[in-house]
Amino acid sequence: MNSSVVYANLWRFLLYFLFQIIVCRRVDLSIGTFDYIHLLVYPLPVLMLPMKTPRALTLIIAFVYGMLIDGFYNSPGVHASALVFTAYIKSIILRFLEPFEGYNADDYPTIQKMGLGWFMSFVSLLLLLHCFFYFSVEAFSFVYFFHIFMNTIFSFITSMAVIVLFQLIFRPKY
Amino acid sequence: MKNAIELLLRFGYHLLFLAMEFLCFYIIINYNREQKGIFLHSANLFSTSIDARVDKVNQYLRLDMENDSLHKQNARLIKKFIDYDLNSSLHDNDTLDVDSSKYQLLAVDICNSNFRLRDNYLTLCAGENLGITPDMGVVSQNGIVGIVKKVSPNFSVVMSILHSQSNISCLIKRNNSNGMLTWEMGNPKIMHLESIPKHKTVLVGDTVITSGYSTIFPKGIQVGKVKTVVLEPGSNSYTIEVELFNDPTAWDALYVIANRLSGEQKRLEAEILQNE
């Protein structure tokens, strides 16, 4: 049981990592001068770590994973900082969305366990914050606020669609 | 110790988050050219504004030193003025060099001062170590202050002109009539000029200067101006009120006058007294 959860998460990290760097990184979704769409699906494995994962461990995983992504994006630290931020916020959002009876010991943040509504609000909140943080750090100055804002909105919508599709297709248990 | 560990357990997660973000931003700034440019530019804006502020504070802190140097410069200027006065009034051009350094001025700070008592003293933050000896005169920019009475290595006590025993030989500048400047308790800005005989003319507004008849004050330091002149019936001399130029309730920069030749003069005068 326990080891299968670990393996499931490892596979998820690997697959999303590969999908991000092989597919999302190369897909060009710009339409004319409208180039605000960037697929950012790699945060999902961090969000889907089991609820009982130690918070500090989540941060460390997020940092290492983010640095690996950065290695391929050739932007050291940018994705990592956004992902560490998302991992930090995750614990707060989890508390915010906690059901009345609290979480069970065998709860995982999946559609199967928590329901589609819960999963959608959980992932969309975090992904939106992640996108905003990422594009802010990428621009590195709020002078480019319009740029950051547009990037955040359109990247969030497309990435969210891809993530939800994946969830519906693969239906992960853990 | 236990508390520290508890604190670390409770906030360790947040600290770890901050540390990681810090590390990330360090990496971002150091390895991304674009972000580095923005960071350096912003940091420059920030640091220049900080620099400007620090500079302002520094300037304020330097005021003390500035003040000190101005004080000393003033001492030199007043000395020059005294020398000039002496040279032009007492000597011809060919003996100019004789007295050119008779008086030395020493800029000093004031430690303690009084003006409400019958007999007032003030304390200077300079003593023997700076060459101050008893019976030196003390002046401010606008007039006379007192006479050094006692010195210790680092301090000296000055008998203020506001003292019942204070007796300073002064002149009416207009006609050189000589009198003694004394103080009676009361208004610290008003002193009395005594023993000016009634055959001299004294007008309200006349300037009073030191006479230079003692070894303490050189001639020509401005003291004050005549405020009222009264000739009491049956008296042989005027009763004159002098309004001081300086304000004894607020001394600021003071100067001790050292007369290089005072010892010589005193010895000579003492010999005459002995011989008689």
Side-chain angles (χ1 to χ4, degrees):
Chain A
M1 173 72 188
N2 209 355
S3 67
S4 64
V5 175
V6 173
Y7 280 124
N9 275 291
L10 278 179
W11 276 112
R12 183 157 48 227
F13 268 104
L14 186 63
L15 291 174
Y16 272 90
F17 177 69
L18 292 175
F19 183 70
Q20 179 72 39
I21 62 169
I22 293 171
V23 181
C24 299
R25 190 162 63 99
R26 290 159 188 234
V27 172
D28 182 10
L29 289 172
S30 61
I31 306 156
T33 55
F34 186 85
D35 57 351
Y36 295 120
I37 297 174
H38 305 271
L39 282 176
L40 297 176
V41 297
Y42 68 91
L44 194 74
V46 174
L47 304 188
M48 288 186 70
L49 284 169
M51 280 135 176
K52 53 181 186 254
T53 316
R55 297 184 301 174
L57 182 64
T58 314
L59 282 187
I60 293 166
I61 290 172
F63 177 72
V64 175
Y65 180 57
M67 286 307 285
L68 285 175
I69 298 273
D70 275 328
F72 286 88
Y73 269 86
N74 207 5
S75 59
V78 179
H79 286 96
S81 70
L83 206 54
V84 167
F85 171 75
T86 309
Y88 177 74
I89 294 293
K90 183 192 160 191
S91 65
I92 296 167
I93 299 285
L94 269 180
R95 213 176 310 145
F96 181 63
L97 293 174
E98 192 168 354
F100 185 65
E101 322 86 60
Y103 295 113
N104 291 324
D106 57 346
D107 268 353
Y108 303 100
T110 59
I111 295 176
Q112 305 272 355
K113 280 280 180 191
M114 305 302 295
L116 184 66
W118 186 92
F119 181 83
M120 287 290 277
S121 50
F122 174 67
V123 175
S124 58
L125 271 174
L126 283 170
L127 196 66
L128 187 63
L129 288 170
H130 177 85
C131 288
F132 178 69
F133 196 97
Y134 168 71
F135 288 114
S136 302
V137 175
E138 196 207 21
F140 214 67
S141 164
F142 284 107
V143 174
Y144 309 115
F145 187 79
F146 178 74
H147 180 80
I148 294 170
F149 181 75
M150 295 296 275
N151 266 328
T152 303
I153 294 297
F154 289 102
S155 301
F156 163 69
I157 292 169
T158 47
S159 305
M160 191 68 200
V162 172
I163 286 173
V164 173
L165 270 179
F166 275 17
Q167 296 302 305
L168 294 177
I169 293 167
F170 294 109
R171 299 181 169 270
K173 258 201 303 197
Y174 309 117
Chain B
M1 192 60 206
K2 200 182 145 214
N3 284 345
I5 290 174
E6 261 177 19
L7 208 69
L8 197 68
L9 280 179
R10 184 176 300 171
F11 294 109
Y13 171 61
H14 307 282
L15 289 179
L16 181 66
F17 166 66
L18 288 179
M20 283 188 149
E21 284 295 344
F22 189 79
L23 181 62
C24 284
F25 276 91
Y26 180 79
I27 293 168
I28 291 171
I29 288 159
N30 277 294
Y31 296 100
N32 292 273
R33 196 182 302 159
E34 200 176 315
Q35 276 94 338
K36 188 177 189 172
I38 293 173
F39 174 76
L40 286 180
H41 177 66
S42 313
N44 256 344
L45 288 181
F46 188 63
S47 67
T48 44
S49 85
I50 293 258
D51 271 356
R53 257 153 229 233
V54 168
D55 217 44
K56 243 184 200 168
V57 172
N58 265 345
Q59 251 174 18
Y60 181 73
L61 293 179
R62 273 201 301 271
L63 278 183
D64 218 25
M65 262 154 47
E66 196 102 335
N67 209 6
D68 226 41
S69 84
L70 283 177
H71 197 175
K72 286 196 177 110
Q73 191 174 349
N74 233 344
R76 281 198 295 278
L77 288 175
I78 293 177
K79 175 180 176 300
K80 237 177 214 171
F81 170 71
I82 290 170
D83 287 346
Y84 174 78
D85 237 35
L86 279 174
N87 291 333
S88 61
S89 60
L90 298 179
H91 303 288
D92 294 333
N93 281 341
D94 56 347
T95 55
L96 247 176
D97 55 333
V98 174
D99 254 8
S100 63
S101 62
K102 183 176 170 188
Y103 292 104
Q104 294 290 332
L105 249 77
L106 205 72
V108 291
D109 282 327
I110 188 161
C111 286
N112 188 11
S113 142
N114 235 324
F115 55 88
R116 290 198 179 80
L117 308 176
R118 178 80 187 92
D119 296 324
N120 296 296
Y121 290 93
L122 39 114
T123 311
L124 304 179
C125 306
E128 261 172 331
N129 290 349
L130 290 172
I132 296 176
T133 58
D135 284 341
M136 285 182 175
V138 181
V139 297
S140 75
Q141 278 177 59
N142 305 319
I144 55 176
V145 173
I147 297 163
V148 177
K149 278 297 164 192
K150 257 184 115 83
V151 290
S152 71
N154 291 309
F155 296 96
S156 41
V157 174
V158 176
M159 183 178 92
S160 169
I161 47 174
L162 308 182
H163 190 286
S164 61
Q165 302 297 313
S166 166
N167 246 338
I168 290 154
S169 173
C170 284
L171 299 177
I172 301 282
K173 192 180 182 185
R174 189 169 49 79
N175 55 12
N176 275 355
S177 41
N178 183 21
M180 299 303 276
L181 198 66
T182 60
W183 183 67
E184 282 155 27
M185 198 178 172
N187 190 342
K189 275 217 78 160
I190 301 291
M191 293 187 72
H192 293 266
L193 191 59
E194 291 173 353
S195 67
I196 289 191
K198 63 181 177 187
H199 65 266
K200 303 271 190 182
T201 53
V202 179
L203 302 175
V204 173
D206 274 350
T207 306
V208 178
I209 59 172
T210 53
S211 66
Y213 290 172
S214 69
T215 58
I216 297 170
F217 292 110
K219 186 183 176 181
I221 296 177
Q222 307 221 336
V223 176
K225 63 176 191 233
V226 175
K227 197 183 176 205
T228 60
V229 186
V230 179
L231 184 58
E232 305 258 340
S235 166
N236 221 355
S237 59
Y238 292 106
T239 305
I240 300 170
E241 279 190 339
V242 176
E243 188 177 9
L244 296 179
F245 285 135
N246 58 9
D247 182 2
T249 60
W251 302 122
D252 43 1
L254 300 187
Y255 308 91
V256 174
I257 299 179
N259 184 344
R260 198 165 55 81
L261 303 175
S262 77
E264 188 182 331
Q265 187 178 344
K266 273 184 189 163
R267 251 199 323 281
L268 193 63
E269 286 166 359
E271 264 173 41
I272 293 286
L273 284 178
Q274 267 175 8
N275 291 349
E276 278 177 357

